[in-house]
């Protein structure tokens, strides 16, 4: 896959930050609104895929190494399971931060409210680590597939 | 009757997907068939979660009416996540098979038989 | 000891019996002639043909049970034809069996 | 960290520890290969030890319940609700029994892999996927929740498909993986559809709570058909068996041993659905006959197809199908007789035979596949026509192979005989023909292993092969399984009384299963 025209590149350049911010918003607000780690991660990864399509997979692989992506992916997964492990004093997956007043530890008010980001305990942290895993994983999948396909085309 | 339309679509999607998997010979089309079946099943799950005159289970400025139980939505999401992994792995198998066999025709990809 | 509906099974007892049987066989062997050194009778005989050197003789896997396979040729032809190696056919078999199970369970269940 | 704490949390720990280690392996792999191997081994041994401790407690009569994220592990029903809505793990006799099998075979396969895949690339991911397979198996065995069953089923199939294609530079490996994956994801989707059907009617996903309100309506029957078809396909029952020889043949030998257990886990899911979920509401005669006939077909066709094979692993995969038939037969007879007066005498024994055979099968079939891998490691071919005289250089492998072959053919005093004896003597109650076919299949099994032994190990030594035995770690992997075979063969009475009987009892007693989760 070679580089696309300047128009495509410019437009994807200007779209990319918005897609990123929207994806990160979805990850961050996972415990309040529909969405969460996977959905936001998929949005961010699709933004990365847009860059991939606009600028050829070879260019992307000069900037990002596939092995680094898999490290990020492992860290995301380890983070998720470690957070679950932290609650093992009570039960596995026990939400010990909720209602404790720590980060994300406020007790949400009962009934309709405006949505306080600083609630829900472990859930936002888990959303973050799942988001990290999904961004790295999906981007690696798309990038590797594009890279293999483009190498194949060049051979012909 | 109107509430049954999603279920009819579910059955149609699953039948189309199964027909694709059985009758299409191209590996990529087989993968597409599996994905269509998966969409049918996902639609089925999400339809089960529908309740008339209820709102989505989001607390932000929600009117104080009935909310739906978000379990079917959670199931559908999980199944979508799994579906992504399945599709990615199948497609990478298809790429590898194309590299080795030079074809995607399932009738020619049969070194293992008897 | 393992109890079954009509008896029991004890491997230790079985091993004991095996040892006794081996002992008896060894004793019987002791009655044989000590001075027997082999000869023409101990060589393999194949319709009077020359036997190739024993070190080169090995029947390969494809030739073992040839007669059995020949006898059941019709069965094996069908079974090998069924296993086509085409992935669509595998799925078709799965769906066919599901359909059969549907018919059996739903119809038998109604009556 | 005292014993009680460990026992309470062990169901969750058994799934969580390998899961955490699975994602740690690729990171540690970058630092040092040796550290990675040590980590994998430590985790596998830990899982085995914790599993034995847990299983011992379960076999003495305590069913373990674990509710994820609850304030108390046994609080299955939250205060605000009347039904179990959290993820519940339920470890009863049969779960613990299957968990023991998975942990043991994984340990053997992990040890074996250390030398077996030493020359391949991407070993970090190999061990990740191996541990994920273990997670998938244990999860499927322990879960008390239908949707979780589906999730772990998919984890198991994705990890196994990726491992079947591990030698991706060979075209046939990828082909086998693709075929396996298409059919298994189709089966998993059917399972998901069936779960949706049940959820739509009862608004429940917990198996015990579902079992309590199960009415066996038309939709329940449709769901049952989908469950039976999908899980019978996953365990390789005959008309849907084609993926088994294709994928078992091309996978690395250690993974094939794991795949055998993965198939047994699908069998477990089939039995769990039939006995614990549907139970007596089921039309037991019809479903029993279906499972018995699937078993008979698998036994007979599997063994006859094994006889003419020239590929050593393909031959063994057909035997795996045939041995699965014994389990289907034994437990199918149990299902057929349940609720009838003969159940307490013949039915229980048939189920014990079928369940005991699962463990035996995992041990000796795992061992046989590992020896086949050792042969492949040495001579670089799977074709039986091209090998001969291997006993000259691989004495230990030859002995292990003989033990495995005797055990699978049901020669006393090895373990295969004990479980087959139970099956022969009890299925006689339904029809004498069943016993006769079972014995006939055993004889043909012996015949085909005589063929393998003759063509691979006997005869003059091969030229162009290196002298000497396979590396030590591979031998240790085989020794673990061999010791299991011999111990189970010598003390079958003890094993049946203390391990198999609780498992069969847990399967047959649906009321206890329900009560353990929702009480009353």
């Amino acid at each position: 896959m070679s580089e696309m025209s300047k128009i495509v590149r410019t437009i994807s350049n200007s779209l990319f930050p918005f897609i990123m911010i929207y994806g990160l918003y979805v990850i961050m607000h996972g415990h309040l609104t529909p969405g969460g780690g996977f959905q936001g991660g998929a949005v961010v990864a699709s933004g990365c895929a847009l860059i991939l399509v606009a600028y050829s997979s070879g260019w992307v692989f000069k900037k990002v190494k596939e092995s680094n992506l898999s490290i990020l992916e492992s860290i995301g997964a380890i983070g998720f399971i470690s957070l679950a492990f932290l609650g093992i004093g009570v039960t596995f997956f026990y939400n010990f931060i909720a209602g404790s007043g720590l980060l994300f530890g406020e007790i949400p008010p009962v009934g309709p409210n405006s949505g306080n980001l600083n609630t829900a305990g472990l859930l936002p942290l888990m959303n973050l680590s799942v988001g990290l895993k999904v961004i790295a994983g999906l981007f690696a999948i798309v990038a590797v597939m594009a890279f293999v396909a483009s190498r194949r085309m060049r051979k012909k | 009757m109107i509430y049954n339309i999603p279920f009819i679509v579910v059955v149609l999607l699953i039948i189309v997907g199964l027909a694709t998997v059985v009758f299409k010979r191209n590996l990529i089309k087989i993968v597409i068939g599996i994905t269509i079946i998966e969409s049918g099943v996902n639609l089925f799950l999400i339809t089960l979660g529908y309740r008339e005159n209820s709102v989505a289970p989001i607390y932000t400025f929600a009117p104080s009416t009935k909310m739906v139980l978000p379990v079917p939505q959670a199931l559908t999401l999980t199944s979508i996540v799994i579906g992504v992994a399945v599709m990615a792995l199948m497609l990478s198998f298809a790429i590898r098979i194309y590299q080795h066999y030079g074809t995607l025709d399932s009738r020619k990809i049969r070194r293992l038989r008897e | 000891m393992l109890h079954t509906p009509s008896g029991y099974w004890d491997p230790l007892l079985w091993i004991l019996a095996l040892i006794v049987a081996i002992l008896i066989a060894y004793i019987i062997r002791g009655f044989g002639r000590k001075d027997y050194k082999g000869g023409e009778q101990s060589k393999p005989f194949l319709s009077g043909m020359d036997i190739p050197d024993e070190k080169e003789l090995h029947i390969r896997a494809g030739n073992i049970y040839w007669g059995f396979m020949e006898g059941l040729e019709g069965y094996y032809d069908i079974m090998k034809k069924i296993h086509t190696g085409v992935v669509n056919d595998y799925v078709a078999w799965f769906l066919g069996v599901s359909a059969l199970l549907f018919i059996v369970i739903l119809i038998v269940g109604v009556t | 960290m005292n014993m009680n704490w460990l026992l309470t949390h062990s169901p969750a720990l058994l799934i969580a520890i390998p899961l955490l280690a699975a994602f740690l392996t690729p990171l540690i792999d970058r630092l040092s290969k040796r550290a990675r191997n040590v980590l994998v081994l430590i985790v596998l041994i830990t899982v085995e030890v914790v599993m034995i401790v847990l299983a011992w407690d379960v076999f003495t009569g305590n069913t373990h319940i674990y509710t994820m994220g609850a304030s108390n592990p046994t609080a299955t029903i939250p205060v605000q609700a009347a039904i179990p809505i959290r993820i519940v793990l339920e470890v009863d006799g049969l779960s613990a029994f299957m968990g023991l099998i998975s942990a043991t075979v994984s340990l053997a396969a992990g040890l074996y892999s250390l030398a077996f895949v030493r020359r391949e690339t991407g070993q970090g991911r190999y061990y990740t996927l191996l541990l994920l397979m273990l997670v998938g198996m244990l999860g499927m065995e322990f879960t008390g929740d239908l949707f979780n069953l589906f999730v772990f089923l998919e984890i198991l199939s994705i990890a196994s498909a990726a491992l079947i294609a591990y030698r991706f530079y060979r075209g046939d490996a990828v082909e086998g993986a693709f075929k396996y994956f298409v059919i298994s994801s189709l089966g998993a989707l059917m399972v998901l559809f069936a779960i949706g059907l049940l959820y739509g009617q009862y608004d429940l996903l917990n198996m015990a709570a579902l079992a309590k309100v199960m009415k066996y309506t038309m939709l329940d029957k449709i769901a049952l058909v989908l469950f039976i078809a999908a899980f019978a396909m996953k365990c390789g029952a005959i008309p849907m068996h084609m993926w088994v020889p294709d994928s078992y043949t091309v996978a690395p030998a250690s993974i094939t041993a794991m795949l055998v257990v993965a198939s047994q886990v699908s069998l477990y899911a089939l039995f769990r659905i039939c006995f614990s979920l549907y139970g007596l509401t089921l039309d037991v005669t019809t479903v029993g006959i279906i499972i018995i006939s699937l078993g008979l077909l698998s036994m007979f066709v599997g063994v006859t197809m094994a006889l003419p094979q020239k590929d050593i692993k393909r031959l063994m995969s057909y035997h795996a199908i045939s041995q699965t038939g014994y389990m289907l037969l034994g437990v199918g007879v149990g299902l057929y007789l349940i609720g009838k007066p003969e159940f307490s005498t013949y039915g229980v024994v048939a189920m014990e035979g079928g369940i005991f055979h699962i463990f035996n099968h995992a041990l000796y079939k795992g061992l046989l596949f590992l020896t086949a891998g050792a042969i492949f490691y040495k001579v670089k071919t799977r074709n039986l026509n091209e090998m001969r005289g291997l006993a000259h250089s691989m004495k230990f492998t030859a002995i292990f192979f003989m033990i495995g072959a005797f055990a699978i053919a049901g020669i006393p005093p090895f373990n295969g005989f004990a479980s087959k004896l139970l099956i022969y003597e009890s299925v006689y109650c339904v029809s004498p023909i069943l016993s006769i076919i079972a014995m006939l299949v055993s004889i043909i099994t012996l015949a085909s292993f005589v063929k393998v032994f003759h063509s691979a190990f006997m005869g003059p030594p091969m030229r162009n092969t290196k002298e000497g035995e396979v590396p030590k770690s591979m031998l240790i992997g085989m020794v673990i399984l061999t010791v299991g075979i011999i111990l189970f063969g010598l003390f079958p009475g003890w094993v049946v009384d203390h391990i198999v009987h609780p498992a069969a009892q847990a399967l047959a007693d649906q009321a206890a299963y329900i009560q353990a989760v929702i009480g009353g």
Side-chain angles (χ1 to χ4, degrees):
Chain A
M1 225 184 295
S2 59
E3 212 175 55
M4 287 189 124
S5 69
K6 192 156 181 95
I7 301 172
V8 177
R9 275 183 286 150
T10 313
I11 291 177
S12 47
N13 273 351
S14 48
L15 271 180
F16 183 64
F18 293 104
I19 298 176
M20 276 296 192
I21 288 173
Y22 181 64
L24 294 176
Y25 158 78
V26 172
I27 295 177
M28 221 36 247
H29 287 244
H31 54 296
L32 297 174
T33 56
F38 177 78
Q39 291 80 348
V43 171
V44 173
S46 69
C48 299
L50 178 69
I51 292 295
L52 184 88
V53 173
Y55 288 83
S56 87
S57 52
W59 184 86
V60 167
F61 270 117
K62 265 180 223 155
K63 308 272 170 195
V64 193
K65 269 203 191 128
E66 192 270 332
S67 55
N68 294 352
L69 283 178
S70 70
I71 289 183
L72 272 186
E73 199 189 336
S74 300
I75 290 175
I78 291 171
F80 182 81
I81 304 163
S82 318
L83 286 171
F85 250 117
L86 287 179
I88 198 111
V90 186
T91 49
F92 196 65
F93 273 112
Y94 183 69
N95 194 342
F96 64 97
I97 300 181
S100 68
L102 297 169
L103 180 65
F104 299 117
E106 301 248 306
I107 300 168
V110 179
N113 60 71
S114 57
N116 185 354
L117 201 59
N118 190 15
T119 50
L122 276 183
L123 301 187
L125 298 174
M126 285 183 163
N127 269 333
L128 277 176
S129 43
V130 170
L132 187 64
K133 179 171 171 55
V134 172
I135 293 169
L138 276 186
F139 183 42
I141 289 173
V142 177
V144 168
M145 276 194 180
F147 187 66
V148 171
S150 71
R151 206 175 47 180
R152 174 105 201 133
M153 259 184 236
R154 222 177 303 131
K155 245 185 233 168
K156 276 187 182 167
Chain B
M1 180 60 208
I2 190 108
Y3 299 115
N4 284 333
I5 288 179
F7 293 110
I8 296 167
V9 175
V10 166
V11 172
L12 280 180
L13 274 176
I14 291 181
I15 289 175
V16 167
L18 287 177
T20 316
V21 178
V22 175
F23 294 117
K24 290 290 174 189
R25 300 297 188 179
N26 189 318
L27 293 194
I28 302 285
K29 286 182 184 168
I30 292 174
V31 178
I32 292 174
I34 296 276
T35 319
I36 293 174
I37 301 173
E38 193 198 306
S39 320
V41 177
N42 285 344
L43 182 62
F44 178 60
L45 288 179
I46 208 79
T47 315
L48 291 178
Y50 178 76
R51 291 288 181 275
E52 218 178 334
N53 296 327
S54 298
V55 295
I58 306 164
Y59 272 108
T60 312
F61 294 125
S64 49
T65 49
K66 280 188 285 185
M67 285 186 181
V68 298
L69 186 69
V71 171
Q73 279 91 327
L75 302 191
T76 316
L77 271 176
T78 317
S79 141
I80 289 173
V81 174
I82 292 170
V84 169
V86 167
M87 193 168 69
L89 193 56
M90 272 195 197
L91 285 176
S92 44
F93 285 160
I95 291 175
R96 278 288 171 194
I97 288 178
Y98 187 73
Q99 285 176 351
H100 284 292
Y101 292 73
T103 176
L104 284 172
D105 189 339
S106 65
R107 280 165 298 186
K108 293 188 182 121
I109 301 164
R110 41 184 291 203
R111 276 185 211 164
L112 303 162
R113 60 169 186 265
E114 282 180 8
Chain C
M1 201 184 311
L2 178 63
H3 289 277
T4 58
S6 55
Y8 68 94
W9 157 245
D10 192 345
L12 301 174
L13 213 63
W14 188 86
I15 290 176
L16 205 69
L18 186 72
I19 291 171
V20 170
I22 289 173
L23 271 180
I24 293 173
Y26 189 73
I27 291 166
I28 293 174
R29 188 178 174 277
F31 289 120
R33 280 173 55 187
K34 301 261 181 322
D35 56 341
Y36 181 70
K37 290 277 189 287
E40 201 59 36
Q41 290 168 8
S42 61
K43 283 183 182 163
F45 179 77
L46 194 64
S47 314
M49 293 199 297
D50 283 339
I51 307 288
D53 186 15
E54 202 179 320
K55 289 206 166 56
E56 293 304 314
L57 195 67
H58 185 244
I59 300 164
R60 296 189 311 164
N63 303 329
I64 302 176
Y65 302 131
W66 174 82
F68 185 86
M69 256 76 89
E70 200 69 10
L72 290 177
E73 205 185 356
Y75 168 78
Y76 277 119
D77 277 352
I78 294 171
M79 289 314 294
K80 284 182 179 172
K81 211 174 276 172
I82 286 174
H83 198 130
T84 51
V86 181
V87 66
N88 308 85
D89 296 352
Y90 295 8
V91 176
W93 272 102
F94 172 56
L95 294 180
V97 173
S98 314
L100 193 69
L101 289 183
F102 264 120
I103 292 169
V104 171
I105 289 187
L106 296 189
I107 289 182
V108 173
V110 166
T111 51
Chain D
M1 193 188 290
N2 59 7
M3 202 66 186
N4 253 338
W5 184 88
L6 182 68
L7 268 180
T8 316
H9 291 279
S10 52
L13 285 176
L14 278 173
I15 296 175
I17 292 175
L19 192 61
L20 186 62
F23 293 108
L24 271 175
T25 8
L27 291 183
I28 293 180
D29 182 53
R30 277 160 196 285
L31 306 175
S32 141
K33 310 277 177 220
R34 187 175 288 270
R36 176 205 63 207
N37 289 348
V38 170
L39 173 80
V40 171
L41 272 191
I42 288 177
V43 167
L44 287 176
I45 292 171
T46 317
V47 168
E48 173 79 22
V49 170
V50 176
M51 191 63 234
I52 289 174
V53 171
L54 173 66
W56 188 249
D57 195 56
V58 171
F59 291 145
T60 51
N62 310 321
T63 301
H64 278 246
I65 304 289
Y66 197 91
T67 316
M68 294 279 198
S71 51
N72 176 2
T74 50
T76 49
I77 302 174
V79 187
Q80 302 91 342
I83 48 165
I85 52 170
R86 285 203 166 103
I87 296 172
V88 177
L89 301 179
E90 177 167 19
V91 186
D92 63 0
L94 188 66
S95 314
F97 180 81
M98 296 299 299
L100 266 183
I101 298 177
S102 316
T104 312
V105 176
S106 305
L107 177 61
L111 268 168
Y112 184 89
S113 309
L114 292 184
F116 188 66
V117 297
R118 200 170 43 196
R119 299 177 202 151
E120 312 270 353
T121 54
Q123 286 180 50
R125 284 177 193 159
Y126 174 88
Y127 289 109
T128 304
L129 292 167
L130 188 95
L131 289 170
L132 277 180
M133 269 184 91
L134 178 59
V135 170
M137 291 180 203
L138 290 174
M140 273 180 81
E141 288 150 6
F142 289 173
T143 185
D145 183 284
L146 269 183
F147 189 73
N148 250 310
L149 185 76
F150 163 76
V151 171
F152 284 115
L153 178 71
E154 282 282 29
I155 290 178
L156 182 56
S157 9
I158 290 174
S160 358
L163 279 175
I164 292 169
Y166 180 60
R167 296 206 188 95
F168 62 89
Y169 46 83
R170 299 169 60 103
D172 54 357
V174 189
E175 182 194 336
F178 186 82
K179 287 174 180 172
Y180 167 76
F181 204 36
V182 166
I183 192 138
S184 73
S185 45
L186 188 66
L189 285 174
M190 292 299 135
V191 169
L192 182 59
F193 191 71
I195 293 169
L197 284 174
L198 292 180
Y199 181 80
Q201 288 180 81
Y202 304 111
D203 283 343
L204 284 171
L205 286 171
N206 188 287
M207 293 207 289
L210 258 175
K212 197 175 183 188
V213 295
M214 182 65 76
K215 292 193 193 66
Y216 204 49
T217 59
M218 195 61 157
L219 286 176
D220 290 344
K221 284 178 193 168
I222 296 176
L224 177 72
V225 171
L226 292 173
F227 278 131
I228 291 182
F231 285 122
M233 183 273 291
K234 286 282 288 177
C235 73
I238 264 295
M240 308 167 277
H241 68 288
M242 280 90 158
W243 64 270
V244 176
D246 289 4
S247 55
Y248 281 21
T249 310
V250 293
S254 42
I255 298 311
T256 317
M258 299 277 284
L259 282 173
V260 170
V261 188
S263 297
Q264 313 308 330
V265 175
S266 304
L267 201 65
Y268 160 84
L270 176 64
F271 296 157
R272 190 52 102 194
I273 298 281
C274 285
F275 283 90
S276 298
L277 184 61
Y278 283 85
L280 280 175
T281 58
L282 202 66
D283 182 2
V284 284
T285 316
T286 319
V287 179
I289 288 175
I290 288 173
I291 292 181
I292 291 173
S293 40
L294 278 177
L296 279 182
L297 257 180
S298 307
M299 274 159 67
F300 187 74
V301 178
V303 79
T304 45
M305 284 307 288
L307 211 50
Q309 299 300 327
K310 294 175 195 69
D311 184 320
I312 180 166
K313 282 179 80 181
R314 207 172 173 80
L315 187 147
M316 289 180 183
S317 348
Y318 273 112
H319 280 298
I321 296 170
S322 152
Q323 299 299 313
T324 309
Y326 278 99
M327 304 155 205
L328 286 169
L329 176 66
V331 182
V333 166
L335 185 63
Y336 178 79
L337 290 178
I338 203 167
K340 297 191 180 73
E342 295 95 333
F343 182 74
S344 55
T345 52
Y346 288 94
V348 169
V349 174
M351 279 172 70
E352 280 173 359
I355 291 170
F356 191 19
H357 206 68
I358 296 180
F359 210 145
N360 292 339
H361 176 62
L363 288 176
Y364 57 63
K365 183 54 76 178
L367 177 66
L368 284 171
F369 274 121
L370 294 188
T371 55
I375 294 172
F376 180 76
Y377 185 85
K378 209 78 198 164
V379 298
K380 296 277 167 276
T381 178
R382 295 191 306 259
N383 194 334
L384 280 169
N385 280 337
E386 292 167 12
M387 51 179 87
R388 61 180 195 191
L390 290 171
H392 289 276
S393 56
M394 305 164 73
K395 294 196 174 55
F396 289 111
T397 312
I399 293 169
F400 293 146
F401 181 86
M402 268 176 85
I403 291 175
F406 280 152
I408 195 174
I411 305 275
F414 295 104
N415 60 356
F417 178 74
S419 51
K420 282 184 181 177
L421 182 73
L422 290 175
I423 295 176
Y424 297 152
E425 288 217 354
S426 51
V427 301
Y428 190 85
C429 170
V430 176
S431 163
I433 298 170
L434 300 182
S435 293
I436 293 170
I437 293 179
M439 287 183 202
L440 180 73
V441 168
S442 247
I443 294 167
I444 307 179
T445 307
L446 181 64
S448 73
F449 275 95
V450 167
K451 164 183 163 176
V452 178
F453 188 76
H454 175 86
S455 46
F457 290 103
M458 312 255 270
M462 275 173 87
R463 297 184 200 94
N464 312 327
T465 46
K466 274 179 269 171
E467 277 293 307
E469 188 56 79
V470 289
K472 278 212 182 58
S473 89
M474 287 166 76
L475 286 179
I476 295 172
M478 293 192 255
V479 165
I480 291 178
L481 297 179
T482 314
V483 168
I485 290 176
I486 292 175
L487 284 183
F488 276 34
L490 289 185
F491 307 103
W494 188 89
V495 173
V496 167
D497 286 347
H498 291 86
I499 298 180
V500 178
H501 187 72
Q505 208 59 49
L507 196 53
D509 195 353
Q510 192 199 14
Y513 182 81
I514 297 173
Q515 203 202 338
V517 173
I518 52 178

